[in-house]
Amino acid sequence: MPVVYNEPLSFLQRLVEYMEYVDLLEKASDETDPVSRMQYVAAFAVSAVSCNWQRIGKPFNPLLGETYEMEDDKFRVICEQVSHHPPISAFHAENETFIFHGSIYPKLKFWGKSVEIQPEGVVTVELKKWAEAYTWSNVTCSVHNVVVGKIWIEQSGTMEIVNHRTGHKAILNFKPAGWFNKDTNRVEGFIYDPSKKKLRFLYGKWSEHMKCTDIHSYEEYVKENSNKFKLGDGKSSGGDNSPSPNTPKRVLSKFNSFKMGSSMFKSMSQAERDDIDDPDSSGDLDESKSDPSFVLDVPNSIMLWEVKPRQERALNGENGTYHFSDFTKSLNKLESHHMGRICQTDSRYRPDIRKLENNDLDGAASEKNRLEEKQREVRSLRKRKKLPEWTPRWFHLKTNPYTNQEDWYFNNKYWDRNFPADPDIF
């Protein structure tokens, strides 16, 4: 993939974005009622995908053995790329209240006009105070108009969160946008008791907030606002469908949003730029035009989570922001107290990511190619038995007792910071 498609982060750093709203797990642990705990765990699961809002850049694929760590007063987290074929990224986060771990295997499908990313793998939250474990899998992320038109992103599918101690479940439906944007970014679902009785109604937008109300208030609201719960008018936008019957004629118009001044953007003719900027040249999804009559506001609701506002510069996608939140922008900082403390395989030492962050597209492309070739050469040497097989240093395979599936577990050695003979992967 050309480096211009990338954003200056590794996929390992994207995993750490889960932790931006870690306070939701603290709130869950403070609740004495298991249903209330489930509310906040469900809100945490939804908040984890909010970082994708308006993000059109692809993270760099981690190199085998690459790591990323973060340690602050709220939590510490370590990630490692434990497999290259298939690409598997493992992570482990913890503090006095919780343990959060899992391994993600992203599968990509290209549908012509869209790319579908299915994040295979299960994540697990353990609340220490209650000896409870919650598991779920993330929903599908679709990137539309990757060749022609204005790029937009949606999350769709069903997320089932299970409390393995009490038997409670939260089942959330991430709705596809539809033709008239009525369901743009909309999430709805219920918390069920072990006998499958509905206890709470959860709703909101994965890009904005999550609320919760009791079932009686929900049922009364549905009686008076049944139109808000009907299916959208027309086909969903999943797969290769788009909510727009028309798209701009000019190819690669999406690069206009990067505004990074590379030669390929400078060579674009004025006619092409006018075609891209013409609001009538495309009927692509626009969140600002979504129908306000379909916004839910159920009485007796409580706000579980709200997204933190991004700076105006980031909202506009200006040079160097990539629609990053403040938390995301902090992930690639390499400060003086890191030097000699973090492992040399940490993503912050990757030269291709560094050069892209500094807007050096040619240098980033060159370094990206060099690292990929180096990785291929090492893999070839291992295949010919000239190098020993790779063994992950910080994670090992074992069976997840809650899902009975193989999963990658932290070996609790990283934080000793004994990093002799770091592999030379960069």
Side-chain angles (χ1 to χ4, degrees):
M1 293 284 287
V3 75
V4 73
Y5 281 88
N6 288 90
E7 60 183 17
L9 289 177
S10 166
F11 182 70
L12 298 182
Q13 292 164 297
R14 287 295 299 266
L15 286 179
V16 174
E17 289 183 276
Y18 272 127
M19 308 305 295
E20 182 167 4
Y21 299 97
V22 71
D23 58 301
L24 292 169
L25 295 183
E26 302 281 356
K27 290 180 179 180
S29 183
D30 288 340
E31 295 290 339
T32 57
D33 174 27
V35 180
S36 297
R37 291 198 291 275
M38 177 63 85
Q39 288 176 180
Y40 286 108
V41 172
F44 175 75
V46 174
S47 76
V49 301
S50 66
C51 63
N52 292 320
W53 180 53
Q54 295 188 329
R55 296 271 286 277
I56 61 174
K58 173 187 175 297
F60 283 76
N61 294 332
L63 302 171
L64 184 62
E66 185 175 331
T67 60
Y68 182 79
E69 68 154 90
M70 185 174 182
E71 188 175 19
D72 65 16
D73 56 350
K74 290 185 177 180
F75 64 88
R76 61 184 185 181
V77 57
I78 174 64
C79 311
E80 182 180 13
Q81 189 70 5
V82 295
S83 173
H84 186 68
H85 287 297
I88 300 176
S89 306
F91 69 92
H92 178 97
E94 63 184 357
N95 68 7
E96 298 82 4
T97 303
F98 67 84
I99 296 174
F100 177 42
H101 63 90
S103 50
I104 305 296
Y105 167 22
K107 296 178 68 176
L108 273 66
K109 293 183 179 180
F110 182 60
W111 295 103
K113 290 194 297 180
S114 64
V115 175
E116 187 176 276
I117 303 101
Q118 298 175 338
E120 302 286 337
V122 175
V123 298
T124 303
V125 163
E126 299 176 30
L127 298 181
K128 297 178 181 179
K129 180 178 178 180
W130 303 102
E132 287 179 344
Y134 301 78
T135 61
W136 68 90
S137 295
N138 288 307
V139 294
T140 296
C141 177
S142 298
V143 185
H144 297 274
N145 296 339
V146 294
V147 176
V148 178
K150 179 182 177 181
I151 287 182
W152 60 279
I153 291 173
E154 70 174 345
Q155 309 280 342
S156 60
T158 300
M159 177 184 287
E160 181 176 300
I161 305 165
V162 181
N163 181 332
H164 291 271
R165 187 178 72 86
T166 67
H168 290 86
K169 291 183 179 181
I171 300 179
L172 304 176
N173 178 24
F174 288 66
K175 296 191 172 187
W179 277 91
F180 296 102
N181 306 347
K182 293 177 181 178
D183 292 329
T184 303
N185 299 350
R186 193 161 153 181
V187 184
E188 294 173 12
F190 299 92
I191 295 176
Y192 299 84
D193 70 9
S195 63
K196 299 183 180 179
K197 178 184 176 182
K198 293 178 181 177
L199 301 176
R200 304 279 172 84
F201 176 60
L202 300 165
Y203 67 100
K205 289 191 172 187
W206 58 262
S207 57
E208 296 179 13
H209 64 266
M210 284 297 293
K211 296 181 179 181
C212 183
T213 191
D214 62 275
I215 290 300
H216 176 73
S217 297
Y218 161 75
E219 290 174 344
E220 291 298 314
Y221 185 80
V222 171
K223 289 178 184 178
E224 299 174 4
N225 301 273
S226 59
N227 63 307
K228 295 186 178 184
F229 294 88
K230 291 179 180 178
L231 294 175
D233 303 328
K235 298 178 181 179
S236 75
S237 57
D240 194 28
N241 296 320
S242 170
S244 167
N246 303 302
T247 54
K249 297 178 182 179
R250 306 297 180 184
V251 179
L252 300 177
S253 65
K254 69 171 187 169
F255 292 134
N256 186 53
S257 65
F258 281 89
K259 298 180 182 178
M260 291 193 290
S262 82
S263 59
M264 72 182 299
F265 307 140
K266 292 177 180 177
S267 66
M268 189 181 292
S269 70
Q270 182 63 44
E272 289 173 318
R273 289 194 293 270
D274 291 343
D275 186 33
I276 291 166
D277 295 333
D278 180 7
D280 296 324
S281 67
S282 173
D284 295 324
L285 180 144
D286 183 350
E287 286 189 61
S288 65
K289 297 179 181 178
S290 59
D291 192 337
S293 67
F294 281 81
V295 175
L296 304 186
D297 189 14
V298 185
N300 302 315
S301 294
I302 63 170
M303 183 69 73
L304 299 173
W305 159 76
E306 285 185 280
V307 72
K308 296 174 184 175
R310 298 182 188 176
Q311 294 180 7
E312 187 65 27
R313 200 165 158 261
L315 288 174
N316 294 332
E318 293 181 16
N319 180 26
T321 63
Y322 299 91
H323 296 287
F324 286 174
S325 68
D326 289 343
F327 179 84
T328 301
K329 286 188 286 187
S330 72
L331 295 178
N332 213 35
K333 287 183 179 178
L334 189 58
E335 301 182 21
S336 57
H337 67 271
H338 291 135
M339 308 306 292
R341 178 173 173 80
I342 65 175
C343 191
Q344 290 300 307
T345 54
D346 196 281
S347 302
R348 281 165 284 201
Y349 289 122
R350 280 190 62 159
D352 49 357
I353 292 179
R354 281 288 162 205
K355 288 184 180 295
L356 180 59
E357 186 175 53
N358 294 326
N359 203 24
D360 180 0
L361 293 181
D362 292 338
S366 176
E367 285 294 337
K368 180 174 180 287
N369 182 68
R370 180 184 68 81
L371 292 175
E372 289 170 350
E373 289 296 330
K374 181 176 182 177
Q375 186 168 237
R376 292 188 189 100
E377 176 62 24
V378 170
R379 189 164 64 247
S380 175
L381 291 172
R382 289 199 177 103
K383 191 174 181 179
R384 302 199 309 267
K385 309 297 183 184
K386 294 188 176 182
L387 283 177
E389 287 297 315
W390 173 259
T391 301
R393 295 197 299 165
W394 314 116
F395 289 82
H396 61 276
L397 269 176
K398 76 174 194 177
T399 300
N400 186 318
Y402 309 109
T403 64
N404 293 320
Q405 298 176 0
E406 274 200 334
D407 205 351
W408 289 88
Y409 276 76
F410 183 46
N411 63 14
N412 295 306
K413 295 180 180 180
Y414 181 88
W415 301 112
D416 295 338
R417 299 195 178 279
N418 182 16
F419 307 139
D422 285 333
D424 178 18
I425 61 173
F426 300 147

